Amino acid sequence: MVRSMLAEMRIQGLGVISDATLELDPGLTVLTGETGAGKTMVVTGLSLLGGGRAESSRVSEGVAKAVVEGRFAASHGALGLAEEVGAEPDDDGTLIAARTVSADGRSRAHLGGRSVPVGVLGRLAEAQLAVHGQNDQLRLLRPADQRALLDRFAGDSVAKPLAAYREVRAEWQEVGAELVERRDGARRMAQEADMLRHGLTEIEAVDPQPGEDRELVDEARRLTAADDLRAAADAARLALSGSEDGEHPGATGLSGEARHLVASSGDGELEGLSGRLDEVLAVLGDVSAELAGYLERLDADPTRLETVLARQAELKALTRKYAADTDGVIEWAENARQRLSGLDTSDEALAALAARRDALAVDLAGHAEELSTARTEAAARLATATTAELAGLAMKDASLQVTVSPREAGADADALTVSGCRCHAGSSGVDEVELRLVPHAGASAQPLHKGASGGELSRVMLALEVALAGSDPVPTMVFDEVDAGVGGRAAVEIGRRLAKLAASHQVVVVTHLPQVAAYADRHLVVQKGTDGTAAVTRSSVRRLDDAERIAELARMLAGLDDTDTGRAHAEELLAAAAAHRESDRAEPAGAATPKSTPKRRRTAKNSTGG
């Protein structure tokens, strides 16, 4: 199975790097180079691939855009994301991500050949890539980040009770907010309730029916024109039935006479028309009867118009206040009834809400206590694992303490009593997590921001990362000069620990320390140059072979690359690193699972190779 990793990255037009391709090892890759050569641009490129902020100032001078491409031997999560957004892996199963930043600041992202929002690359990075720099050391000083780090180490043992806690907390807050609103807004709600009840009483007294206003308009129009309508209907009936004195025979009489003539003609063709004339007579009779009925109805209730107009006035009084028509008035009434049910400010309603809130508080306190217990257990394991790593980072007498304590509540609404303590019920529980360092025997434990120097903080962060390696699903880790402020034996041990971390993760390290670079499975160097025509500095990245690697390490050893002493020292450093890696692989247990692939054994035998 192909190991999930970042196999290759290409950078074009980013800072001082005009065009460079980095082929990364599945294990430990180091990048070195002189100050100002552009090592930081490599980390910037990785950050852009991870959906980081795009800045036009990073685009090389004189070019239209910067482009960063990365080829991932992707994890199941990354391939699932690609399928979700319609991106296609290459034929070899790898996934290509790309980020373009134009000189005017516009940014575009692509995944698997498909244009995607930048946020998609951020989601890809969550599954594939974690970049750790000196800013991460500063974040490590913040309490919220320390709690997040502990939760990350704990995994499901904290994630499950935390999810249950958050679900109950959301309902607890909702019920509490409703109770406060009802109590504080009792007068306002009482006034609103009175207005709604008055409106409902008025509407129910009139009792409008759906579509009634439109029906009344039609009826009123007909009743207003009753005389004209009666005259028209009477004339129509006369035209059909004829006058009683026979002076005007009407259509019915004329049609009857026509039928008699054709029926008695003795001619078959004419007689055939008699049936159709029968139909005419039937229709005329029906129409005449309906006209008669219409005339009777017009005369049946001479006071109906007054009734209709009075009903219209009642409905108009409602439509002026509540809606444009009777259907709208009926809808307003229904909404008012529903709103009234939520405006119950009676003592009974408030007591029921308070009881629900208190019951949820008890439930929430139980989840908070379970969450605290899980964190406390995980804190002990994290402290033990990290302290063991610190011993191997030239801090043998140092220890890390991870404390979990309740955060006391102030005068806020989110106060919760847990195990007899009044705590602040935040979105992540009631716990405060603090990392404390005991730098040497006999020293008191101090918060990291007080008790750790810059070099010590670098080693603590690396120790934590090694301790977290087993629970961290991200396959590729990038460290940007986390060895700042470190030297001597501590630098050697940092290199050794990074090599151990590379047994279970792909590790990319930007470093200025030869002691760290000596442990690399692949050594890349960022080199400055010019474009040949102007005094414009450009940098490239290339992989070092055995001899070049010795020369680069000698350069890093105080610039001794052109001396036999420097090269001898570099060779000695590489040999010591190879021996350490061989020894670490032979250990039965450790912070990371050792690798035993043929490739890594071959690297150990040829420790000076790129």
Side-chain angles (χ1 to χ4, degrees):
M1 183 177 68
V2 178
R3 185 175 178 182
S4 179
M5 65 175 187
L6 175 61
E8 182 180 277
M9 183 172 75
R10 183 177 183 184
I11 301 173
Q12 295 175 290
L14 188 65
V16 296
I17 298 180
S18 56
D19 193 344
T21 299
L22 291 73
E23 294 183 359
L24 305 176
D25 192 85
L28 176 59
T29 300
V30 299
L31 285 96
T32 63
E34 296 180 359
T35 301
K39 300 188 296 296
T40 301
M41 288 299 102
V42 175
V43 178
T44 299
L46 288 165
S47 178
L48 287 172
L49 274 185
R53 181 180 177 185
E55 297 180 5
S56 60
S57 61
R58 297 293 192 182
V59 180
S60 300
E61 186 176 351
V63 302
K65 62 184 178 181
V67 181
V68 183
E69 293 182 352
R71 180 184 294 274
F72 292 89
S75 63
H76 291 299
L79 293 175
L81 173 62
E83 183 178 357
E84 179 184 331
V85 299
E88 292 289 339
D90 274 11
D91 293 338
D92 60 359
T94 60
L95 192 62
I96 296 178
R99 185 81 179 276
T100 302
V101 182
S102 64
D104 60 7
R106 288 180 297 179
S107 169
R108 296 187 64 187
H110 291 81
L111 183 63
R114 185 180 183 87
S115 180
V116 296
V118 173
V120 171
L121 294 189
R123 293 173 60 192
L124 174 68
E126 290 178 3
Q128 290 285 134
L129 188 66
V131 180
H132 302 282
Q134 295 186 46
N135 288 336
D136 292 271
Q137 297 179 23
L138 299 178
R139 286 198 293 270
L140 190 60
L141 303 179
R142 296 198 291 257
D145 288 288
Q146 293 180 3
R147 182 178 58 230
L149 183 144
L150 175 60
D151 290 354
R152 173 179 149 207
F153 175 79
D156 285 346
S157 65
V158 162
K160 290 181 178 178
L162 178 58
Y165 167 88
R166 284 174 171 166
E167 182 179 353
V168 175
R169 177 178 180 267
E171 187 178 357
W172 174 66
Q173 286 185 310
E174 183 180 345
V175 172
E178 184 179 355
L179 180 60
V180 169
E181 180 186 1
R182 289 198 184 189
R183 283 176 173 170
D184 294 348
R187 179 178 299 176
R188 175 187 54 79
M189 287 189 289
Q191 292 172 346
E192 182 182 356
D194 285 344
M195 183 271 291
L196 292 174
R197 279 191 288 267
H198 174 76
L200 285 173
T201 299
E202 193 172 16
I203 292 170
E204 289 167 358
V206 176
D207 192 23
Q209 300 301 310
E212 183 182 3
D213 50 348
R214 295 187 297 274
E215 294 174 1
L216 289 174
V217 167
D218 292 340
E219 187 177 0
R221 184 181 299 113
R222 187 168 61 250
L223 291 172
T224 301
D227 291 342
D228 294 337
L229 293 173
R230 186 179 296 106
D234 194 49
R237 184 178 60 81
L238 179 63
L240 291 177
S241 303
S243 60
E244 294 180 358
D245 57 10
E247 183 177 350
H248 299 288
T252 302
L254 293 174
S255 297
E257 184 177 350
R259 181 193 178 287
H260 175 72
L261 290 173
V262 299
S264 59
S265 65
D267 181 80
E269 185 175 353
L270 283 176
E271 289 177 350
L273 296 174
S274 64
R276 295 173 63 185
L277 286 169
D278 284 340
E279 295 175 2
V280 170
L281 285 167
V283 170
L284 290 174
D286 289 343
V287 173
S288 180
E290 289 181 15
L291 286 171
Y294 179 82
L295 287 168
E296 288 180 2
R297 288 194 300 277
L298 281 178
D299 295 334
D301 188 3
T303 63
R304 176 58 183 168
L305 178 59
E306 183 179 346
T307 302
V308 168
L309 294 176
R311 180 61 175 173
Q312 280 186 314
E314 289 180 334
L315 294 179
K316 284 181 180 178
L318 297 180
T319 55
R320 279 196 300 268
K321 291 183 179 181
Y322 304 108
D325 53 27
T326 54
D327 290 346
V329 171
I330 294 170
E331 182 180 359
W332 185 94
E334 181 58 32
N335 292 335
R337 293 185 188 95
Q338 294 178 5
R339 175 61 178 158
L340 269 175
S341 66
L343 291 175
D344 188 356
T345 57
S346 65
D347 292 341
E348 294 79 5
L350 294 178
L353 267 180
R356 177 60 180 155
R357 178 204 57 191
D358 294 344
L360 287 168
V362 172
D363 192 15
L364 184 61
H367 288 296
E369 190 170 358
E370 181 183 358
L371 179 57
S372 298
T373 300
R375 281 190 175 132
T376 300
E377 187 275 333
R381 290 190 289 111
L382 178 60
T384 300
T386 306
T387 298
E389 290 300 329
L390 288 175
L393 290 171
M395 296 177 68
K396 65 177 182 178
D397 293 325
S399 62
L400 185 76
Q401 296 179 359
V402 185
T403 62
V404 180
S405 58
R407 178 183 174 185
E408 292 186 5
D412 55 59
D414 292 335
L416 184 70
T417 300
V418 181
S419 300
C421 175
R422 189 172 181 271
C423 307
H424 172 76
S427 61
S428 295
V430 300
D431 304 314
E432 284 188 322
V433 175
E434 185 175 44
L435 303 184
R436 289 174 167 262
L437 180 67
V438 180
H440 54 80
S444 60
Q446 294 289 333
L448 284 182
H449 68 279
K450 293 181 179 179
S453 65
E456 288 172 335
L457 196 57
S458 296
R459 281 177 277 176
V460 169
M461 192 180 84
L462 180 57
L464 284 166
E465 286 299 339
V466 175
L468 287 162
S471 59
D472 199 331
V474 179
T476 299
M477 292 185 172
V478 181
F479 294 93
D480 180 19
E481 297 194 8
V482 293
D483 48 18
V486 177
R489 180 64 182 172
V492 172
E493 294 301 337
I494 284 180
R496 189 172 184 177
R497 284 306 182 273
L498 287 169
K500 288 185 68 176
L501 186 59
S504 57
H505 292 68
Q506 181 186 35
V507 180
V508 181
V509 181
V510 178
T511 182
H512 66 285
L513 294 179
Q515 297 95 327
V516 172
Y519 284 87
D521 296 305
R522 182 168 299 173
H523 191 150
L524 305 178
V525 65
V526 184
Q527 290 183 317
K528 291 189 291 187
T530 63
D531 62 2
T533 60
V536 177
T537 300
R538 288 287 181 262
S539 294
S540 60
V541 182
R542 65 186 183 87
R543 178 178 175 180
L544 300 182
D545 61 22
D546 294 356
E548 291 171 331
R549 188 175 183 196
I550 292 173
E552 173 65 6
L553 290 177
R555 179 197 67 77
M556 297 171 73
L557 289 163
L560 301 175
D561 52 313
D562 58 351
T563 67
D564 291 339
T565 301
R567 285 190 290 273
H569 194 173
E571 290 174 352
E572 182 182 357
L573 197 58
L574 286 168
H580 283 160
R581 287 187 298 179
E582 193 69 34
S583 173
D584 290 340
R585 265 194 296 274
E587 291 179 0
T593 303
K595 283 191 278 187
S596 58
T597 63
K599 181 180 186 304
R600 296 303 299 276
R601 285 197 295 270
R602 186 164 60 250
T603 301
K605 292 178 181 178
N606 184 15
S607 62
T608 61

